[in-house]
Coordinates of all heavy atoms in Angstrom, one line a residue:
H15 N -2.7 10.6 -5.4 CA -2.2 9.3 -5.2 C -1.5 8.8 -6.5 O -1.8 9.2 -7.6 CB -3.3 8.3 -4.9 CG -4.1 8.7 -3.7 ND1 -3.6 8.6 -2.4 CD2 -5.3 9.3 -3.6 CE1 -4.5 9.1 -1.5 NE2 -5.6 9.5 -2.2
N16 N -0.5 7.9 -6.3 CA 0.2 7.4 -7.5 C -0.7 6.6 -8.4 O -1.2 5.6 -7.9 CB 1.4 6.6 -7.0 CG 2.4 6.2 -8.0 OD1 2.1 6.3 -9.2 ND2 3.6 5.7 -7.6
P17 N -0.8 6.9 -9.7 CA -1.7 6.2 -10.6 C -1.0 4.9 -11.2 O -1.7 4.1 -11.8 CB -1.9 7.2 -11.7 CG -0.7 8.0 -11.8 CD -0.2 8.1 -10.4
F18 N 0.2 4.7 -10.9 CA 0.9 3.6 -11.6 C 0.2 2.2 -11.3 O 0.0 1.4 -12.3 CB 2.4 3.5 -11.2 CG 3.2 2.3 -11.7 CD1 3.5 2.3 -13.1 CD2 3.5 1.3 -10.9 CE1 4.2 1.2 -13.6 CE2 4.2 0.2 -11.4 CZ 4.6 0.2 -12.8
N19 N 0.0 1.9 -10.1 CA -0.7 0.6 -9.7 C -2.0 0.5 -10.4 O -2.5 -0.6 -10.7 CB -0.8 0.5 -8.2 CG 0.6 0.2 -7.6 OD1 1.6 0.2 -8.2 ND2 0.6 0.0 -6.3
A20 N -2.7 1.6 -10.5 CA -4.1 1.5 -11.1 C -4.0 1.3 -12.6 O -4.9 0.7 -13.2 CB -4.8 2.8 -10.8
I21 N -2.9 1.8 -13.2 CA -2.8 1.6 -14.7 C -2.5 0.1 -15.0 O -3.0 -0.5 -15.9 CB -1.7 2.5 -15.2 CG1 -2.1 4.0 -15.1 CG2 -1.3 2.2 -16.7 CD1 -1.0 5.0 -15.3
V22 N -1.5 -0.5 -14.2 CA -1.2 -1.9 -14.4 C -2.1 -2.7 -13.5 O -1.7 -3.1 -12.4 CB 0.3 -2.1 -14.1 CG1 0.7 -3.5 -14.4 CG2 1.2 -1.1 -14.9
S23 N -3.2 -3.0 -14.1 CA -4.2 -3.8 -13.3 C -5.3 -4.4 -14.2 O -5.4 -4.0 -15.4 CB -4.9 -2.8 -12.3 OG -5.7 -1.9 -13.0
P24 N -6.0 -5.4 -13.7 CA -5.9 -6.0 -12.4 C -4.7 -6.9 -12.3 O -4.2 -7.5 -13.4 CB -7.2 -6.8 -12.3 CG -7.5 -7.2 -13.7 CD -7.1 -6.0 -14.6
R25 N -4.2 -7.2 -11.1 CA -3.0 -8.0 -10.9 C -3.4 -9.2 -10.0 O -4.1 -9.0 -9.0 CB -1.9 -7.2 -10.3 CG -1.4 -6.1 -11.2 CD -0.2 -5.4 -10.6 NE -0.3 -5.0 -9.2 CZ -1.0 -3.9 -8.8 NH1 -1.5 -3.1 -9.7 NH2 -1.1 -3.6 -7.5
P26 N -3.1 -10.4 -10.4 CA -3.3 -11.5 -9.5 C -2.5 -11.4 -8.2 O -1.5 -10.7 -8.2 CB -2.9 -12.8 -10.3 CG -1.9 -12.2 -11.2 CD -2.3 -10.8 -11.6
I27 N -3.0 -12.0 -7.1 CA -2.3 -11.9 -5.8 C -1.7 -13.2 -5.5 O -2.4 -14.3 -5.4 CB -3.3 -11.5 -4.8 CG1 -3.9 -10.1 -5.1 CG2 -2.7 -11.4 -3.4 CD1 -5.1 -9.7 -4.2
A28 N -0.4 -13.2 -5.2 CA 0.3 -14.4 -4.6 C 0.3 -14.3 -3.1 O 0.8 -13.3 -2.5 CB 1.7 -14.4 -5.1
W29 N -0.4 -15.2 -2.5 CA -0.4 -15.3 -1.0 C 0.7 -16.3 -0.7 O 0.5 -17.5 -0.7 CB -1.8 -15.8 -0.6 CG -2.2 -15.4 0.8 CD1 -1.6 -14.5 1.6 CD2 -3.5 -15.8 1.4 NE1 -2.4 -14.4 2.8 CE2 -3.5 -15.1 2.6 CE3 -4.5 -16.6 1.0 CZ2 -4.6 -15.3 3.5 CZ3 -5.5 -16.8 1.9 CH2 -5.6 -16.2 3.2
V30 N 1.9 -15.7 -0.4 CA 3.1 -16.5 -0.3 C 3.3 -17.0 1.1 O 3.4 -16.2 2.1 CB 4.3 -15.7 -0.8 CG1 5.6 -16.5 -0.7 CG2 4.1 -15.2 -2.2
S31 N 3.4 -18.3 1.3 CA 3.8 -18.9 2.5 C 5.2 -19.4 2.5 O 5.7 -20.0 1.5 CB 2.8 -20.0 2.9 OG 2.7 -21.0 1.9
T32 N 5.9 -19.2 3.6 CA 7.3 -19.6 3.7 C 7.6 -20.1 5.1 O 6.8 -19.8 6.1 CB 8.3 -18.4 3.4 OG1 8.0 -17.3 4.4 CG2 8.2 -17.9 2.0
R33 N 8.7 -20.8 5.3 CA 9.1 -21.2 6.6 C 10.6 -20.8 6.8 O 11.4 -21.0 5.9 CB 9.0 -22.8 6.7 CG 9.5 -23.3 8.1 CD 9.2 -24.8 8.2 NE 7.8 -25.1 8.2 CZ 7.3 -26.3 7.9 NH1 8.1 -27.3 7.6 NH2 6.0 -26.5 7.9
G34 N 10.9 -20.1 7.9 CA 12.2 -19.6 8.1 C 13.1 -20.7 8.5 O 12.7 -21.8 8.9
P35 N 14.4 -20.5 8.5 CA 15.4 -21.5 8.9 C 15.2 -21.9 10.4 O 15.7 -22.9 10.8 CB 16.8 -20.8 8.7 CG 16.5 -19.3 8.6 CD 15.1 -19.2 8.1
D36 N 14.6 -21.0 11.2 CA 14.3 -21.3 12.6 C 13.0 -22.1 12.8 O 12.6 -22.4 13.9 CB 14.3 -20.0 13.4 CG 13.2 -19.1 13.0 OD1 12.6 -19.3 12.0 OD2 13.1 -18.0 13.7
G37 N 12.3 -22.4 11.7 CA 11.0 -23.1 11.8 C 9.8 -22.2 11.9 O 8.7 -22.7 11.8
S38 N 10.0 -20.9 12.0 CA 8.8 -20.0 12.1 C 8.2 -19.9 10.7 O 8.8 -20.1 9.7 CB 9.3 -18.6 12.5 OG 10.2 -18.1 11.6
E39 N 6.9 -19.7 10.7 CA 6.1 -19.6 9.4 C 5.6 -18.2 9.2 O 5.3 -17.5 10.1 CB 5.0 -20.6 9.4 CG 5.5 -22.1 9.5 CD 4.6 -23.1 8.9 OE1 3.5 -23.1 9.3 OE2 5.1 -23.8 8.0
N40 N 5.5 -17.9 7.9 CA 5.1 -16.6 7.4 C 4.1 -16.7 6.3 O 4.2 -17.6 5.5 CB 6.3 -15.7 7.0 CG 5.9 -14.3 6.7 OD1 5.7 -14.0 5.5 ND2 5.8 -13.5 7.7
L41 N 3.1 -15.8 6.2 CA 2.2 -15.8 5.1 C 1.9 -14.3 4.8 O 1.4 -13.6 5.7 CB 0.9 -16.5 5.6 CG -0.3 -16.6 4.6 CD1 0.1 -17.4 3.3 CD2 -1.5 -17.2 5.2
A42 N 2.1 -13.9 3.5 CA 1.9 -12.5 3.2 C 1.5 -12.4 1.7 O 1.9 -13.2 0.9 CB 3.2 -11.7 3.4
P43 N 0.6 -11.4 1.3 CA 0.2 -11.3 0.0 C 1.1 -10.3 -0.8 O 1.6 -9.3 -0.3 CB -1.2 -10.7 0.1 CG -1.1 -9.9 1.4 CD -0.1 -10.6 2.3
Y44 N 1.2 -10.6 -2.1 CA 2.0 -9.8 -3.0 C 1.3 -9.7 -4.4 O 0.9 -10.7 -4.9 CB 3.4 -10.4 -3.3 CG 4.3 -10.4 -2.0 CD1 4.2 -11.5 -1.1 CD2 5.1 -9.4 -1.8 CE1 4.9 -11.5 0.0 CE2 5.9 -9.4 -0.6 CZ 5.8 -10.5 0.3 OH 6.6 -10.5 1.4
S45 N 1.1 -8.5 -4.9 CA 0.3 -8.3 -6.1 C 1.2 -8.1 -7.3 O 0.7 -8.0 -8.4 CB -0.7 -7.2 -6.0 OG -0.1 -5.9 -5.8
F46 N 2.5 -7.9 -7.1 CA 3.4 -8.0 -8.3 C 3.7 -9.5 -8.5 O 4.7 -10.0 -8.0 CB 4.7 -7.2 -8.0 CG 4.4 -5.7 -8.1 CD1 5.0 -4.9 -7.1 CD2 3.7 -5.1 -9.0 CE1 4.8 -3.5 -7.1 CE2 3.5 -3.7 -9.1 CZ 4.0 -2.9 -8.1
F47 N 2.8 -10.2 -9.2 CA 2.9 -11.6 -9.3 C 2.4 -12.1 -10.6 O 1.4 -11.6 -11.2 CB 2.1 -12.2 -8.2 CG 1.6 -13.7 -8.4 CD1 2.6 -14.7 -8.6 CD2 0.3 -14.0 -8.5 CE1 2.2 -16.0 -8.8 CE2 -0.1 -15.3 -8.7 CZ 0.8 -16.3 -8.9
N48 N 3.0 -13.2 -11.2 CA 2.5 -13.8 -12.4 C 3.2 -15.1 -12.7 O 4.3 -15.3 -12.2 CB 2.5 -12.8 -13.6 CG 1.2 -12.9 -14.4 OD1 0.7 -14.0 -14.7 ND2 0.7 -11.7 -14.7
A49 N 2.6 -15.9 -13.6 CA 3.3 -17.0 -14.2 C 4.2 -16.5 -15.3 O 3.8 -15.6 -16.0 CB 2.3 -18.0 -14.8
V50 N 5.4 -17.1 -15.5 CA 6.3 -16.6 -16.5 C 6.8 -17.7 -17.5 O 7.5 -17.4 -18.5 CB 7.5 -15.9 -15.8 CG1 7.1 -14.7 -15.1 CG2 8.2 -16.9 -14.9
A51 N 6.5 -19.0 -17.2 CA 6.9 -20.0 -18.2 C 6.1 -21.3 -17.9 O 5.6 -21.5 -16.8 CB 8.4 -20.3 -17.9
Y52 N 6.0 -22.1 -19.1 CA 5.2 -23.3 -19.0 C 6.1 -24.5 -18.6 O 5.7 -25.3 -17.8 CB 4.6 -23.6 -20.4 CG 3.3 -22.9 -20.7 CD1 3.1 -22.0 -21.8 CD2 2.2 -23.0 -19.8 CE1 1.9 -21.4 -22.0 CE2 1.0 -22.4 -20.1 CZ 0.9 -21.6 -21.2 OH -0.3 -20.9 -21.5
V53 N 7.2 -24.7 -19.3 CA 8.0 -25.9 -19.2 C 9.5 -25.5 -18.9 O 10.2 -25.0 -19.7 CB 8.0 -26.8 -20.5 CG1 8.7 -28.1 -20.3 CG2 6.5 -27.1 -20.8
P54 N 9.9 -25.8 -17.6 CA 9.1 -26.2 -16.5 C 8.3 -25.0 -16.0 O 8.6 -23.8 -16.3 CB 10.2 -26.6 -15.4 CG 11.4 -25.7 -15.8 CD 11.4 -25.6 -17.3
P55 N 7.2 -25.2 -15.4 CA 6.3 -24.1 -14.9 C 7.1 -23.3 -13.9 O 7.7 -23.8 -13.0 CB 5.1 -24.8 -14.3 CG 5.6 -26.2 -14.0 CD 6.6 -26.6 -15.0
Q56 N 7.0 -22.0 -14.1 CA 7.7 -21.0 -13.2 C 6.8 -19.8 -13.0 O 6.0 -19.4 -13.8 CB 9.0 -20.6 -13.8 CG 10.0 -21.7 -14.0 CD 11.2 -21.3 -14.8 OE1 12.1 -20.6 -14.4 NE2 11.2 -21.8 -16.1

Side-chain angles (χ1 to χ4, degrees):
H15 304 283
N16 190 344
F18 175 71
N19 287 3
I21 294 169
V22 185
S23 67
R25 299 187 306 279
I27 299 171
W29 208 3
V30 182
S31 53
T32 58
R33 181 176 294 163
D36 61 355
S38 62
E39 296 208 304
N40 184 265
L41 178 65
Y44 295 85
S45 67
F46 289 136
F47 159 63
N48 224 311
V50 294
Y52 277 123
V53 183
Q56 294 166 78

